Amino acid sequence: MAGITFGEEGSVPGTSQAAGDAGQNLLKGILSAPTDADAAKRISTGGAELKKMAEKGSFAINEAGLQAYLKACDKFLGGFDYWRGQLQRLTQPAKMGGSEYAKKVADFNAKVAGGDDQALLPNLQLMYKGIEDAKAALQIARKNYRETEEAHNITFAKITKELDQQ
C-alpha cells in the first residue's frame, strides 16, 4: 500500500490499527466476494470506513497511490453494469426440461444468482457500494495528503528562513 497513510489526524502515519483494518476490510476477499456474502459485506463496510476516515483526515494518499487505486476501482465499476445484467438474466429459472429435478435445479440456480441476501447479485451490489465509497475516500485522502504536504512545506520554509537569518 505504498503512498497511503493511515492514522488519526495529526498522528504519525501508519500507527492507527483501526485505519489499517478499514483498508484491509475493503481489500480482503475481493476475489471471493460475489460468492461470499461476508466478503461482500467486508468490502462494503471497508469502503464506508475508509470514506469516514478520509473525511476525518485520518487517511491520506499520494498521487501515485491514488492513480493505482483509482484504476482498480474504475475497472470494477466499469464492468459492474455488464455483470449485473448477466446475473439479472440468471435470476430467471432456465428451461432445463420438464422433470421435477430439472425444475428444482433451475430454481436453485436462480436463487443462487439473486434469490436472497446470500446470492450473487446482492453481493455484487454490496461490493459496488463499497468500491464507490473507497473511490470517494481516495479523492478525499488525496486532498488530505496535499494539505499535509503543503503544511510541511510551509513549516520547512519557515525553518529554512530562520536558519538563513542566523
PDB file of all heavy atoms in Angstrom, residues 40-81:
ATOM      1  N   ALA A  40     -18.415  -9.802   0.710  1.00  0.00           N
ATOM      2  CA  ALA A  40     -19.073  -8.646   0.078  1.00  0.00           C
ATOM      3  C   ALA A  40     -19.389  -7.580   1.120  1.00  0.00           C
ATOM      4  O   ALA A  40     -19.191  -6.389   0.876  1.00  0.00           O
ATOM      5  CB  ALA A  40     -20.350  -9.086  -0.645  1.00  0.00           C
ATOM      6  N   LYS A  41     -19.837  -8.010   2.302  1.00  0.00           N
ATOM      7  CA  LYS A  41     -20.115  -7.061   3.382  1.00  0.00           C
ATOM      8  C   LYS A  41     -18.838  -6.374   3.853  1.00  0.00           C
ATOM      9  O   LYS A  41     -18.853  -5.183   4.156  1.00  0.00           O
ATOM     10  CB  LYS A  41     -20.805  -7.764   4.547  1.00  0.00           C
ATOM     11  CG  LYS A  41     -22.238  -8.148   4.256  1.00  0.00           C
ATOM     12  CD  LYS A  41     -22.848  -8.954   5.392  1.00  0.00           C
ATOM     13  CE  LYS A  41     -24.194  -9.514   4.970  1.00  0.00           C
ATOM     14  NZ  LYS A  41     -24.689 -10.514   5.900  1.00  0.00           N
ATOM     15  N   ARG A  42     -17.721  -7.135   3.914  1.00  0.00           N
ATOM     16  CA  ARG A  42     -16.434  -6.528   4.311  1.00  0.00           C
ATOM     17  C   ARG A  42     -16.022  -5.439   3.326  1.00  0.00           C
ATOM     18  O   ARG A  42     -15.518  -4.400   3.719  1.00  0.00           O
ATOM     19  CB  ARG A  42     -15.342  -7.588   4.407  1.00  0.00           C
ATOM     20  CG  ARG A  42     -15.343  -8.380   5.694  1.00  0.00           C
ATOM     21  CD  ARG A  42     -14.064  -9.170   5.879  1.00  0.00           C
ATOM     22  NE  ARG A  42     -13.770 -10.086   4.791  1.00  0.00           N
ATOM     23  CZ  ARG A  42     -14.204 -11.332   4.703  1.00  0.00           C
ATOM     24  NH1 ARG A  42     -14.981 -11.830   5.651  1.00  0.00           N
ATOM     25  NH2 ARG A  42     -13.874 -12.087   3.679  1.00  0.00           N
ATOM     26  N   ILE A  43     -16.233  -5.689   2.049  1.00  0.00           N
ATOM     27  CA  ILE A  43     -15.879  -4.693   1.041  1.00  0.00           C
ATOM     28  C   ILE A  43     -16.757  -3.459   1.195  1.00  0.00           C
ATOM     29  O   ILE A  43     -16.274  -2.329   1.173  1.00  0.00           O
ATOM     30  CB  ILE A  43     -15.989  -5.285  -0.384  1.00  0.00           C
ATOM     31  CG1 ILE A  43     -14.883  -6.328  -0.574  1.00  0.00           C
ATOM     32  CG2 ILE A  43     -15.903  -4.201  -1.452  1.00  0.00           C
ATOM     33  CD1 ILE A  43     -15.045  -7.168  -1.808  1.00  0.00           C
ATOM     34  N   SER A  44     -18.044  -3.667   1.379  1.00  0.00           N
ATOM     35  CA  SER A  44     -18.958  -2.542   1.555  1.00  0.00           C
ATOM     36  C   SER A  44     -18.612  -1.751   2.816  1.00  0.00           C
ATOM     37  O   SER A  44     -18.511  -0.515   2.785  1.00  0.00           O
ATOM     38  CB  SER A  44     -20.397  -3.053   1.623  1.00  0.00           C
ATOM     39  OG  SER A  44     -21.292  -1.986   1.765  1.00  0.00           O
ATOM     40  N   THR A  45     -18.409  -2.459   3.915  1.00  0.00           N
ATOM     41  CA  THR A  45     -18.071  -1.815   5.186  1.00  0.00           C
ATOM     42  C   THR A  45     -16.706  -1.143   5.106  1.00  0.00           C
ATOM     43  O   THR A  45     -16.527  -0.025   5.585  1.00  0.00           O
ATOM     44  CB  THR A  45     -18.079  -2.854   6.323  1.00  0.00           C
ATOM     45  OG1 THR A  45     -19.381  -3.431   6.385  1.00  0.00           O
ATOM     46  CG2 THR A  45     -17.747  -2.232   7.654  1.00  0.00           C
ATOM     47  N   GLY A  46     -15.745  -1.824   4.494  1.00  0.00           N
ATOM     48  CA  GLY A  46     -14.399  -1.249   4.365  1.00  0.00           C
ATOM     49  C   GLY A  46     -14.400   0.041   3.574  1.00  0.00           C
ATOM     50  O   GLY A  46     -13.731   1.010   3.953  1.00  0.00           O
ATOM     51  N   GLY A  47     -15.156   0.081   2.486  1.00  0.00           N
ATOM     52  CA  GLY A  47     -15.252   1.314   1.699  1.00  0.00           C
ATOM     53  C   GLY A  47     -15.868   2.444   2.500  1.00  0.00           C
ATOM     54  O   GLY A  47     -15.380   3.578   2.476  1.00  0.00           O
ATOM     55  N   ALA A  48     -16.931   2.130   3.236  1.00  0.00           N
ATOM     56  CA  ALA A  48     -17.591   3.153   4.065  1.00  0.00           C
ATOM     57  C   ALA A  48     -16.655   3.640   5.171  1.00  0.00           C
ATOM     58  O   ALA A  48     -16.597   4.845   5.461  1.00  0.00           O
ATOM     59  CB  ALA A  48     -18.880   2.595   4.663  1.00  0.00           C
ATOM     60  N   GLU A  49     -15.906   2.715   5.779  1.00  0.00           N
ATOM     61  CA  GLU A  49     -14.961   3.100   6.835  1.00  0.00           C
ATOM     62  C   GLU A  49     -13.845   3.983   6.284  1.00  0.00           C
ATOM     63  O   GLU A  49     -13.462   4.975   6.907  1.00  0.00           O
ATOM     64  CB  GLU A  49     -14.368   1.852   7.489  1.00  0.00           C
ATOM     65  CG  GLU A  49     -15.341   1.097   8.365  1.00  0.00           C
ATOM     66  CD  GLU A  49     -14.782  -0.225   8.876  1.00  0.00           C
ATOM     67  OE1 GLU A  49     -13.612  -0.570   8.571  1.00  0.00           O
ATOM     68  OE2 GLU A  49     -15.520  -0.926   9.584  1.00  0.00           O
ATOM     69  N   LEU A  50     -13.324   3.618   5.115  1.00  0.00           N
ATOM     70  CA  LEU A  50     -12.282   4.440   4.502  1.00  0.00           C
ATOM     71  C   LEU A  50     -12.787   5.852   4.220  1.00  0.00           C
ATOM     72  O   LEU A  50     -12.068   6.830   4.442  1.00  0.00           O
ATOM     73  CB  LEU A  50     -11.786   3.805   3.201  1.00  0.00           C
ATOM     74  CG  LEU A  50     -10.840   2.637   3.325  1.00  0.00           C
ATOM     75  CD1 LEU A  50     -10.529   2.056   1.950  1.00  0.00           C
ATOM     76  CD2 LEU A  50      -9.561   3.043   4.025  1.00  0.00           C
ATOM     77  N   LYS A  51     -14.009   5.949   3.752  1.00  0.00           N
ATOM     78  CA  LYS A  51     -14.586   7.261   3.449  1.00  0.00           C
ATOM     79  C   LYS A  51     -14.710   8.100   4.723  1.00  0.00           C
ATOM     80  O   LYS A  51     -14.348   9.274   4.739  1.00  0.00           O
ATOM     81  CB  LYS A  51     -15.938   7.113   2.763  1.00  0.00           C
ATOM     82  CG  LYS A  51     -16.492   8.430   2.253  1.00  0.00           C
ATOM     83  CD  LYS A  51     -17.754   8.210   1.447  1.00  0.00           C
ATOM     84  CE  LYS A  51     -18.320   9.534   0.974  1.00  0.00           C
ATOM     85  NZ  LYS A  51     -19.611   9.354   0.305  1.00  0.00           N
ATOM     86  N   LYS A  52     -15.207   7.476   5.803  1.00  0.00           N
ATOM     87  CA  LYS A  52     -15.327   8.200   7.077  1.00  0.00           C
ATOM     88  C   LYS A  52     -13.961   8.652   7.570  1.00  0.00           C
ATOM     89  O   LYS A  52     -13.802   9.773   8.059  1.00  0.00           O
ATOM     90  CB  LYS A  52     -15.991   7.312   8.135  1.00  0.00           C
ATOM     91  CG  LYS A  52     -17.469   7.122   7.946  1.00  0.00           C
ATOM     92  CD  LYS A  52     -18.023   6.181   9.012  1.00  0.00           C
ATOM     93  CE  LYS A  52     -19.428   5.757   8.679  1.00  0.00           C
ATOM     94  NZ  LYS A  52     -19.932   4.732   9.592  1.00  0.00           N
ATOM     95  N   MET A  53     -12.972   7.769   7.466  1.00  0.00           N
ATOM     96  CA  MET A  53     -11.625   8.119   7.914  1.00  0.00           C
ATOM     97  C   MET A  53     -11.056   9.277   7.098  1.00  0.00           C
ATOM     98  O   MET A  53     -10.450  10.196   7.648  1.00  0.00           O
ATOM     99  CB  MET A  53     -10.704   6.902   7.808  1.00  0.00           C
ATOM    100  CG  MET A  53     -11.006   5.855   8.845  1.00  0.00           C
ATOM    101  SD  MET A  53     -10.092   4.314   8.588  1.00  0.00           S
ATOM    102  CE  MET A  53      -8.602   4.845   7.830  1.00  0.00           C
ATOM    103  N   ALA A  54     -11.244   9.218   5.798  1.00  0.00           N
ATOM    104  CA  ALA A  54     -10.736  10.291   4.938  1.00  0.00           C
ATOM    105  C   ALA A  54     -11.416  11.614   5.284  1.00  0.00           C
ATOM    106  O   ALA A  54     -10.763  12.657   5.336  1.00  0.00           O
ATOM    107  CB  ALA A  54     -10.954   9.938   3.466  1.00  0.00           C
ATOM    108  N   GLU A  55     -12.711  11.555   5.531  1.00  0.00           N
ATOM    109  CA  GLU A  55     -13.442  12.776   5.896  1.00  0.00           C
ATOM    110  C   GLU A  55     -12.944  13.359   7.216  1.00  0.00           C
ATOM    111  O   GLU A  55     -13.003  14.564   7.416  1.00  0.00           O
ATOM    112  CB  GLU A  55     -14.944  12.483   5.956  1.00  0.00           C
ATOM    113  CG  GLU A  55     -15.553  12.265   4.579  1.00  0.00           C
ATOM    114  CD  GLU A  55     -16.968  11.713   4.606  1.00  0.00           C
ATOM    115  OE1 GLU A  55     -17.394  11.175   5.647  1.00  0.00           O
ATOM    116  OE2 GLU A  55     -17.640  11.798   3.555  1.00  0.00           O
ATOM    117  N   LYS A  56     -12.459  12.499   8.123  1.00  0.00           N
ATOM    118  CA  LYS A  56     -11.922  12.962   9.405  1.00  0.00           C
ATOM    119  C   LYS A  56     -10.446  13.359   9.308  1.00  0.00           C
ATOM    120  O   LYS A  56      -9.868  13.809  10.284  1.00  0.00           O
ATOM    121  CB  LYS A  56     -12.054  11.860  10.465  1.00  0.00           C
ATOM    122  CG  LYS A  56     -13.456  11.584  10.895  1.00  0.00           C
ATOM    123  CD  LYS A  56     -13.561  10.652  12.092  1.00  0.00           C
ATOM    124  CE  LYS A  56     -12.527   9.570  12.139  1.00  0.00           C
ATOM    125  NZ  LYS A  56     -12.731   8.577  13.197  1.00  0.00           N
ATOM    126  N   GLY A  57      -9.836  13.154   8.148  1.00  0.00           N
ATOM    127  CA  GLY A  57      -8.427  13.480   7.995  1.00  0.00           C
ATOM    128  C   GLY A  57      -7.496  12.374   8.463  1.00  0.00           C
ATOM    129  O   GLY A  57      -6.307  12.597   8.647  1.00  0.00           O
ATOM    130  N   SER A  58      -8.010  11.154   8.625  1.00  0.00           N
ATOM    131  CA  SER A  58      -7.211  10.034   9.123  1.00  0.00           C
ATOM    132  C   SER A  58      -6.650   9.163   8.015  1.00  0.00           C
ATOM    133  O   SER A  58      -6.104   8.104   8.275  1.00  0.00           O
ATOM    134  CB  SER A  58      -8.069   9.151  10.041  1.00  0.00           C
ATOM    135  OG  SER A  58      -8.583   9.887  11.104  1.00  0.00           O
ATOM    136  N   PHE A  59      -6.784   9.591   6.787  1.00  0.00           N
ATOM    137  CA  PHE A  59      -6.374   8.778   5.646  1.00  0.00           C
ATOM    138  C   PHE A  59      -5.873   9.724   4.568  1.00  0.00           C
ATOM    139  O   PHE A  59      -6.559  10.675   4.208  1.00  0.00           O
ATOM    140  CB  PHE A  59      -7.588   7.964   5.190  1.00  0.00           C
ATOM    141  CG  PHE A  59      -7.448   7.196   3.907  1.00  0.00           C
ATOM    142  CD1 PHE A  59      -6.289   6.517   3.577  1.00  0.00           C
ATOM    143  CD2 PHE A  59      -8.516   7.127   3.034  1.00  0.00           C
ATOM    144  CE1 PHE A  59      -6.202   5.786   2.395  1.00  0.00           C
ATOM    145  CE2 PHE A  59      -8.445   6.399   1.868  1.00  0.00           C
ATOM    146  CZ  PHE A  59      -7.280   5.724   1.543  1.00  0.00           C
ATOM    147  N   ALA A  60      -4.663   9.485   4.090  1.00  0.00           N
ATOM    148  CA  ALA A  60      -4.078  10.322   3.043  1.00  0.00           C
ATOM    149  C   ALA A  60      -3.385   9.422   2.023  1.00  0.00           C
ATOM    150  O   ALA A  60      -2.955   8.321   2.349  1.00  0.00           O
ATOM    151  CB  ALA A  60      -3.077  11.307   3.644  1.00  0.00           C
ATOM    152  N   ILE A  61      -3.292   9.896   0.792  1.00  0.00           N
ATOM    153  CA  ILE A  61      -2.657   9.108  -0.267  1.00  0.00           C
ATOM    154  C   ILE A  61      -1.967  10.060  -1.242  1.00  0.00           C
ATOM    155  O   ILE A  61      -2.482  11.138  -1.539  1.00  0.00           O
ATOM    156  CB  ILE A  61      -3.700   8.219  -0.987  1.00  0.00           C
ATOM    157  CG1 ILE A  61      -3.029   7.243  -1.944  1.00  0.00           C
ATOM    158  CG2 ILE A  61      -4.740   9.055  -1.693  1.00  0.00           C
ATOM    159  CD1 ILE A  61      -3.965   6.156  -2.452  1.00  0.00           C
ATOM    160  N   ASN A  62      -0.795   9.658  -1.718  1.00  0.00           N
ATOM    161  CA  ASN A  62      -0.104  10.493  -2.698  1.00  0.00           C
ATOM    162  C   ASN A  62      -0.651  10.223  -4.098  1.00  0.00           C
ATOM    163  O   ASN A  62      -1.495   9.342  -4.287  1.00  0.00           O
ATOM    164  CB  ASN A  62       1.412  10.293  -2.622  1.00  0.00           C
ATOM    165  CG  ASN A  62       1.856   8.919  -3.087  1.00  0.00           C
ATOM    166  OD1 ASN A  62       1.114   8.166  -3.695  1.00  0.00           O
ATOM    167  ND2 ASN A  62       3.094   8.585  -2.776  1.00  0.00           N
ATOM    168  N   GLU A  63      -0.172  10.974  -5.071  1.00  0.00           N
ATOM    169  CA  GLU A  63      -0.713  10.899  -6.429  1.00  0.00           C
ATOM    170  C   GLU A  63      -0.502   9.524  -7.062  1.00  0.00           C
ATOM    171  O   GLU A  63      -1.409   8.987  -7.707  1.00  0.00           O
ATOM    172  CB  GLU A  63      -0.094  11.985  -7.307  1.00  0.00           C
ATOM    173  CG  GLU A  63      -0.742  12.127  -8.664  1.00  0.00           C
ATOM    174  CD  GLU A  63      -2.202  12.574  -8.603  1.00  0.00           C
ATOM    175  OE1 GLU A  63      -2.575  13.328  -7.683  1.00  0.00           O
ATOM    176  OE2 GLU A  63      -2.989  12.162  -9.481  1.00  0.00           O
ATOM    177  N   ALA A  64       0.676   8.941  -6.871  1.00  0.00           N
ATOM    178  CA  ALA A  64       0.951   7.630  -7.467  1.00  0.00           C
ATOM    179  C   ALA A  64       0.026   6.563  -6.874  1.00  0.00           C
ATOM    180  O   ALA A  64      -0.540   5.743  -7.608  1.00  0.00           O
ATOM    181  CB  ALA A  64       2.414   7.247  -7.247  1.00  0.00           C
ATOM    182  N   GLY A  65      -0.129   6.573  -5.568  1.00  0.00           N
ATOM    183  CA  GLY A  65      -1.039   5.622  -4.927  1.00  0.00           C
ATOM    184  C   GLY A  65      -2.469   5.844  -5.373  1.00  0.00           C
ATOM    185  O   GLY A  65      -3.203   4.892  -5.654  1.00  0.00           O
ATOM    186  N   LEU A  66      -2.864   7.101  -5.454  1.00  0.00           N
ATOM    187  CA  LEU A  66      -4.222   7.435  -5.897  1.00  0.00           C
ATOM    188  C   LEU A  66      -4.502   6.854  -7.273  1.00  0.00           C
ATOM    189  O   LEU A  66      -5.520   6.197  -7.480  1.00  0.00           O
ATOM    190  CB  LEU A  66      -4.410   8.954  -5.928  1.00  0.00           C
ATOM    191  CG  LEU A  66      -5.713   9.437  -6.565  1.00  0.00           C
ATOM    192  CD1 LEU A  66      -6.894   9.162  -5.646  1.00  0.00           C
ATOM    193  CD2 LEU A  66      -5.629  10.918  -6.891  1.00  0.00           C
ATOM    194  N   GLN A  67      -3.592   7.080  -8.209  1.00  0.00           N
ATOM    195  CA  GLN A  67      -3.817   6.620  -9.583  1.00  0.00           C
ATOM    196  C   GLN A  67      -3.916   5.102  -9.659  1.00  0.00           C
ATOM    197  O   GLN A  67      -4.761   4.563 -10.378  1.00  0.00           O
ATOM    198  CB  GLN A  67      -2.723   7.149 -10.516  1.00  0.00           C
ATOM    199  CG  GLN A  67      -2.771   8.655 -10.707  1.00  0.00           C
ATOM    200  CD  GLN A  67      -4.142   9.167 -11.124  1.00  0.00           C
ATOM    201  OE1 GLN A  67      -4.817   8.607 -11.987  1.00  0.00           O
ATOM    202  NE2 GLN A  67      -4.583  10.258 -10.500  1.00  0.00           N
ATOM    203  N   ALA A  68      -3.080   4.398  -8.901  1.00  0.00           N
ATOM    204  CA  ALA A  68      -3.117   2.933  -8.914  1.00  0.00           C
ATOM    205  C   ALA A  68      -4.449   2.422  -8.376  1.00  0.00           C
ATOM    206  O   ALA A  68      -5.074   1.529  -8.975  1.00  0.00           O
ATOM    207  CB  ALA A  68      -1.957   2.375  -8.096  1.00  0.00           C
ATOM    208  N   TYR A  69      -4.889   2.966  -7.253  1.00  0.00           N
ATOM    209  CA  TYR A  69      -6.137   2.504  -6.656  1.00  0.00           C
ATOM    210  C   TYR A  69      -7.360   2.959  -7.452  1.00  0.00           C
ATOM    211  O   TYR A  69      -8.345   2.229  -7.552  1.00  0.00           O
ATOM    212  CB  TYR A  69      -6.242   2.931  -5.192  1.00  0.00           C
ATOM    213  CG  TYR A  69      -5.382   2.064  -4.316  1.00  0.00           C
ATOM    214  CD1 TYR A  69      -4.132   2.492  -3.883  1.00  0.00           C
ATOM    215  CD2 TYR A  69      -5.807   0.800  -3.937  1.00  0.00           C
ATOM    216  CE1 TYR A  69      -3.334   1.683  -3.088  1.00  0.00           C
ATOM    217  CE2 TYR A  69      -5.025  -0.014  -3.138  1.00  0.00           C
ATOM    218  CZ  TYR A  69      -3.786   0.429  -2.724  1.00  0.00           C
ATOM    219  OH  TYR A  69      -3.005  -0.379  -1.954  1.00  0.00           O
ATOM    220  N   LEU A  70      -7.313   4.158  -8.018  1.00  0.00           N
ATOM    221  CA  LEU A  70      -8.431   4.602  -8.864  1.00  0.00           C
ATOM    222  C   LEU A  70      -8.583   3.695 -10.078  1.00  0.00           C
ATOM    223  O   LEU A  70      -9.713   3.382 -10.492  1.00  0.00           O
ATOM    224  CB  LEU A  70      -8.236   6.046  -9.315  1.00  0.00           C
ATOM    225  CG  LEU A  70      -8.535   7.130  -8.304  1.00  0.00           C
ATOM    226  CD1 LEU A  70      -8.289   8.516  -8.917  1.00  0.00           C
ATOM    227  CD2 LEU A  70      -9.946   7.039  -7.764  1.00  0.00           C
ATOM    228  N   LYS A  71      -7.460   3.275 -10.634  1.00  0.00           N
ATOM    229  CA  LYS A  71      -7.508   2.392 -11.798  1.00  0.00           C
ATOM    230  C   LYS A  71      -8.226   1.085 -11.431  1.00  0.00           C
ATOM    231  O   LYS A  71      -9.076   0.608 -12.184  1.00  0.00           O
ATOM    232  CB  LYS A  71      -6.092   2.101 -12.295  1.00  0.00           C
ATOM    233  CG  LYS A  71      -6.027   1.297 -13.552  1.00  0.00           C
ATOM    234  CD  LYS A  71      -4.589   1.152 -14.022  1.00  0.00           C
ATOM    235  CE  LYS A  71      -4.509   0.311 -15.270  1.00  0.00           C
ATOM    236  NZ  LYS A  71      -3.113   0.135 -15.706  1.00  0.00           N
ATOM    237  N   ALA A  72      -7.901   0.531 -10.271  1.00  0.00           N
ATOM    238  CA  ALA A  72      -8.558  -0.703  -9.831  1.00  0.00           C
ATOM    239  C   ALA A  72     -10.048  -0.473  -9.574  1.00  0.00           C
ATOM    240  O   ALA A  72     -10.889  -1.285  -9.985  1.00  0.00           O
ATOM    241  CB  ALA A  72      -7.876  -1.232  -8.574  1.00  0.00           C
ATOM    242  N   CYS A  73     -10.382   0.630  -8.909  1.00  0.00           N
ATOM    243  CA  CYS A  73     -11.795   0.949  -8.641  1.00  0.00           C
ATOM    244  C   CYS A  73     -12.561   1.126  -9.948  1.00  0.00           C
ATOM    245  O   CYS A  73     -13.661   0.587 -10.113  1.00  0.00           O
ATOM    246  CB  CYS A  73     -11.911   2.222  -7.799  1.00  0.00           C
ATOM    247  SG  CYS A  73     -11.389   2.040  -6.092  1.00  0.00           S
ATOM    248  N   ASP A  74     -11.983   1.888 -10.871  1.00  0.00           N
ATOM    249  CA  ASP A  74     -12.658   2.148 -12.140  1.00  0.00           C
ATOM    250  C   ASP A  74     -12.855   0.879 -12.958  1.00  0.00           C
ATOM    251  O   ASP A  74     -13.862   0.731 -13.650  1.00  0.00           O
ATOM    252  CB  ASP A  74     -11.887   3.193 -12.950  1.00  0.00           C
ATOM    253  CG  ASP A  74     -12.023   4.586 -12.369  1.00  0.00           C
ATOM    254  OD1 ASP A  74     -12.952   4.821 -11.568  1.00  0.00           O
ATOM    255  OD2 ASP A  74     -11.166   5.444 -12.689  1.00  0.00           O
ATOM    256  N   LYS A  75     -11.890  -0.036 -12.864  1.00  0.00           N
ATOM    257  CA  LYS A  75     -12.034  -1.294 -13.592  1.00  0.00           C
ATOM    258  C   LYS A  75     -13.244  -2.072 -13.068  1.00  0.00           C
ATOM    259  O   LYS A  75     -14.050  -2.577 -13.842  1.00  0.00           O
ATOM    260  CB  LYS A  75     -10.767  -2.127 -13.467  1.00  0.00           C
ATOM    261  CG  LYS A  75     -10.787  -3.368 -14.319  1.00  0.00           C
ATOM    262  CD  LYS A  75      -9.420  -3.994 -14.403  1.00  0.00           C
ATOM    263  CE  LYS A  75      -9.483  -5.207 -15.271  1.00  0.00           C
ATOM    264  NZ  LYS A  75      -8.753  -5.092 -16.486  1.00  0.00           N
ATOM    265  N   PHE A  76     -13.383  -2.144 -11.751  1.00  0.00           N
ATOM    266  CA  PHE A  76     -14.541  -2.831 -11.175  1.00  0.00           C
ATOM    267  C   PHE A  76     -15.834  -2.101 -11.529  1.00  0.00           C
ATOM    268  O   PHE A  76     -16.787  -2.701 -12.006  1.00  0.00           O
ATOM    269  CB  PHE A  76     -14.417  -2.946  -9.648  1.00  0.00           C
ATOM    270  CG  PHE A  76     -15.642  -3.533  -9.017  1.00  0.00           C
ATOM    271  CD1 PHE A  76     -15.783  -4.902  -8.916  1.00  0.00           C
ATOM    272  CD2 PHE A  76     -16.672  -2.724  -8.558  1.00  0.00           C
ATOM    273  CE1 PHE A  76     -16.931  -5.461  -8.357  1.00  0.00           C
ATOM    274  CE2 PHE A  76     -17.813  -3.269  -7.999  1.00  0.00           C
ATOM    275  CZ  PHE A  76     -17.938  -4.642  -7.899  1.00  0.00           C
ATOM    276  N   LEU A  77     -15.862  -0.792 -11.280  1.00  0.00           N
ATOM    277  CA  LEU A  77     -17.088  -0.022 -11.509  1.00  0.00           C
ATOM    278  C   LEU A  77     -17.472  -0.032 -12.985  1.00  0.00           C
ATOM    279  O   LEU A  77     -18.662  -0.065 -13.319  1.00  0.00           O
ATOM    280  CB  LEU A  77     -16.922   1.407 -11.003  1.00  0.00           C
ATOM    281  CG  LEU A  77     -16.723   1.537  -9.480  1.00  0.00           C
ATOM    282  CD1 LEU A  77     -16.378   2.973  -9.114  1.00  0.00           C
ATOM    283  CD2 LEU A  77     -17.924   1.047  -8.715  1.00  0.00           C
ATOM    284  N   GLY A  78     -16.472  -0.011 -13.878  1.00  0.00           N
ATOM    285  CA  GLY A  78     -16.744  -0.017 -15.314  1.00  0.00           C
ATOM    286  C   GLY A  78     -17.390  -1.313 -15.793  1.00  0.00           C
ATOM    287  O   GLY A  78     -18.174  -1.321 -16.741  1.00  0.00           O
ATOM    288  N   GLY A  79     -17.073  -2.417 -15.150  1.00  0.00           N
ATOM    289  CA  GLY A  79     -17.646  -3.699 -15.543  1.00  0.00           C
ATOM    290  C   GLY A  79     -18.915  -4.059 -14.800  1.00  0.00           C
ATOM    291  O   GLY A  79     -19.555  -5.070 -15.110  1.00  0.00           O
ATOM    292  N   PHE A  80     -19.292  -3.227 -13.855  1.00  0.00           N
ATOM    293  CA  PHE A  80     -20.436  -3.548 -12.994  1.00  0.00           C
ATOM    294  C   PHE A  80     -21.726  -3.748 -13.780  1.00  0.00           C
ATOM    295  O   PHE A  80     -22.437  -4.733 -13.578  1.00  0.00           O
ATOM    296  CB  PHE A  80     -20.622  -2.457 -11.935  1.00  0.00           C
ATOM    297  CG  PHE A  80     -21.842  -2.665 -11.092  1.00  0.00           C
ATOM    298  CD1 PHE A  80     -21.835  -3.591 -10.073  1.00  0.00           C
ATOM    299  CD2 PHE A  80     -23.001  -1.940 -11.326  1.00  0.00           C
ATOM    300  CE1 PHE A  80     -22.966  -3.800  -9.282  1.00  0.00           C
ATOM    301  CE2 PHE A  80     -24.131  -2.139 -10.548  1.00  0.00           C
ATOM    302  CZ  PHE A  80     -24.107  -3.073  -9.526  1.00  0.00           C
ATOM    303  N   ASP A  81     -22.052  -2.824 -14.653  1.00  0.00           N
ATOM    304  CA  ASP A  81     -23.323  -2.920 -15.382  1.00  0.00           C
ATOM    305  C   ASP A  81     -23.402  -4.207 -16.204  1.00  0.00           C
ATOM    306  O   ASP A  81     -24.449  -4.856 -16.259  1.00  0.00           O
ATOM    307  CB  ASP A  81     -23.536  -1.706 -16.279  1.00  0.00           C
ATOM    308  CG  ASP A  81     -23.911  -0.467 -15.494  1.00  0.00           C
ATOM    309  OD1 ASP A  81     -24.453  -0.606 -14.382  1.00  0.00           O
ATOM    310  OD2 ASP A  81     -23.645   0.648 -15.980  1.00  0.00           O
TER     311      ASP A  81
END
